[in-house]
Amino acid sequence: MTPISPEARANVHLIDHPLVQHKLSLMRNKEASTNSFRRLLNELSSLMAYEVTRDMALQDVEIQTPLETMKAKMIDGKKLVFVSILRAGNGILDGVLSVVPGARVGHIGLYRDPKTLQAVEYYFKMPKNMEERDIVVVDPMLATGNSAAAAVARLKECKPKSIKFLCLLTCPEGINTLYKEHPDVQIFTAAIDRELNSHGYILPGLGDAGDRIFGTQ
Ligand code: URA
C-alpha cells in the first residue's frame, strides 16, 4: 500500500457527513441500477458542493426587506466555474449547479496517448475572463491523478484566481500525484480508498464511474 505523504494529506478535505457516507455506500454496491447510481451521485454532489464552497467570499448587497433596508450577505455565484473532466465529471454537474445555480461551467476532455502515455487534450471550452474566477474541477474518481494533474496544468494557463478539486473517491496514489504537481490545489472527497489496481481502478472503489453513470458497461 502506498502511504500518503503528510503534506499531501494536509491538502485533503474528507467530507465525512453521515448522509454523504451513506449515499456513497449505496453507490458502491454493484447492484445499484444506473438510475439510482445517477440519482445518488446527484444528491451527493449537492451535499459536497456545500463543503467545497464553504470559503466563498460574500459581499454586502443592499436589499429591502418588507420592513426596512439592510446590507445582506450574498455570493457572486457567477465568479465560480465548475470544470468537468469528461466524461464522468458531467455526472457531478447537475448536483453542484442545484446549489450554485449562477456558476459557470467549463469542460475539458483528455485522453492518454497509448505510445507516449501523455495526456492529450481533445476538448477545452471555458467561460470568458477566467482570471477573475475561482475554479472547482469535478471528476468522480481521482485515481492515478495523471489526468487531474494534466487538467489542472492546462487550467492554470487561464490564470484563474484559485483551483480546487472535487471528487467522490480517491486513493493514496491520486492524492500524492496531484499534490506533487499542484501543491496549491485542495482536494475535496468523500473517501480515501485503499489503493489502485494494475488497471488504474480504485479499490475497493465503485467500478467505472462513467460506465455506471451513463449505463455503458
Ligand atoms: N476511473 C473510474 O471510473 N473508476 C476507477 O476506479 C478509477 C478511475
Side-chain angles (χ1 to χ4, degrees):
M1 248 168 68
T2 310
I4 306 174
S5 76
E7 305 78 35
R9 181 62 186 79
N11 261 7
V12 181
H13 301 256
L14 190 58
I15 305 174
D16 57 0
H17 192 287
L19 286 173
V20 168
Q21 294 302 315
H22 178 77
K23 288 177 198 295
L24 177 59
S25 300
L26 294 174
M27 291 179 77
R28 288 181 187 270
N29 186 343
K30 69 174 187 171
E31 303 301 338
S33 65
T34 301
N35 181 16
S36 54
F37 189 89
R38 209 182 278 152
R39 180 180 45 78
L40 287 161
L41 179 57
N42 211 15
E43 292 169 4
L44 254 175
S45 306
S46 311
L47 295 170
M48 294 178 68
Y50 283 91
E51 284 303 317
V52 81
T53 55
R54 184 175 282 280
D55 64 351
M56 269 173 92
L58 290 167
Q59 54 190 11
D60 285 332
V61 176
E62 195 166 280
I63 60 160
Q64 187 76 46
T65 77
L67 300 173
E68 60 180 342
T69 304
M70 71 171 285
K71 292 239 192 288
K73 304 270 179 222
M74 308 218 29
I75 53 171
D76 184 357
K78 295 194 184 88
K79 290 275 169 7
L80 186 65
V81 188
F82 290 109
V83 174
S84 162
I85 301 187
L86 297 174
R87 74 183 160 146
N90 282 3
I92 293 185
L93 288 177
D94 283 351
V96 291
L97 289 171
S98 68
V99 176
V100 196
R104 308 292 193 201
V105 176
H107 292 88
I108 181 163
L110 302 164
Y111 72 90
R112 187 200 285 230
D113 184 298
K115 287 202 191 101
T116 64
L117 301 183
Q118 295 300 309
V120 181
E121 179 183 311
Y122 65 87
Y123 191 76
F124 189 82
K125 186 79 182 170
M126 296 297 141
K128 291 201 181 76
N129 307 324
M130 288 294 279
E131 61 289 343
E132 294 172 8
R133 302 185 189 279
D134 294 301
I135 294 179
V136 177
V137 181
V138 299
D139 191 345
M141 313 298 272
L142 176 58
T144 62
N146 293 335
S147 54
V152 169
R154 178 66 178 89
L155 288 166
K156 282 184 174 174
E157 292 175 20
C158 304
K159 306 213 176 334
K161 281 166 61 186
S162 68
I163 303 181
K164 293 175 182 164
F165 196 94
L166 174 64
C167 57
L168 274 190
L169 274 188
T170 185
C171 57
E173 294 84 344
I175 292 170
N176 288 338
T177 300
L178 192 57
Y179 177 78
K180 196 163 143 244
E181 298 200 26
H182 303 288
D184 52 327
V185 173
Q186 304 277 302
I187 299 168
F188 292 75
T189 185
I192 303 173
D193 274 10
R194 193 179 67 244
E195 62 186 347
L196 273 188
N197 72 10
S198 57
H199 301 287
Y201 280 90
I202 295 175
L203 298 176
L206 50 70
D208 188 301
D211 278 346
R212 296 196 67 190
I213 295 165
F214 299 110
T216 47
Q217 62 270 43

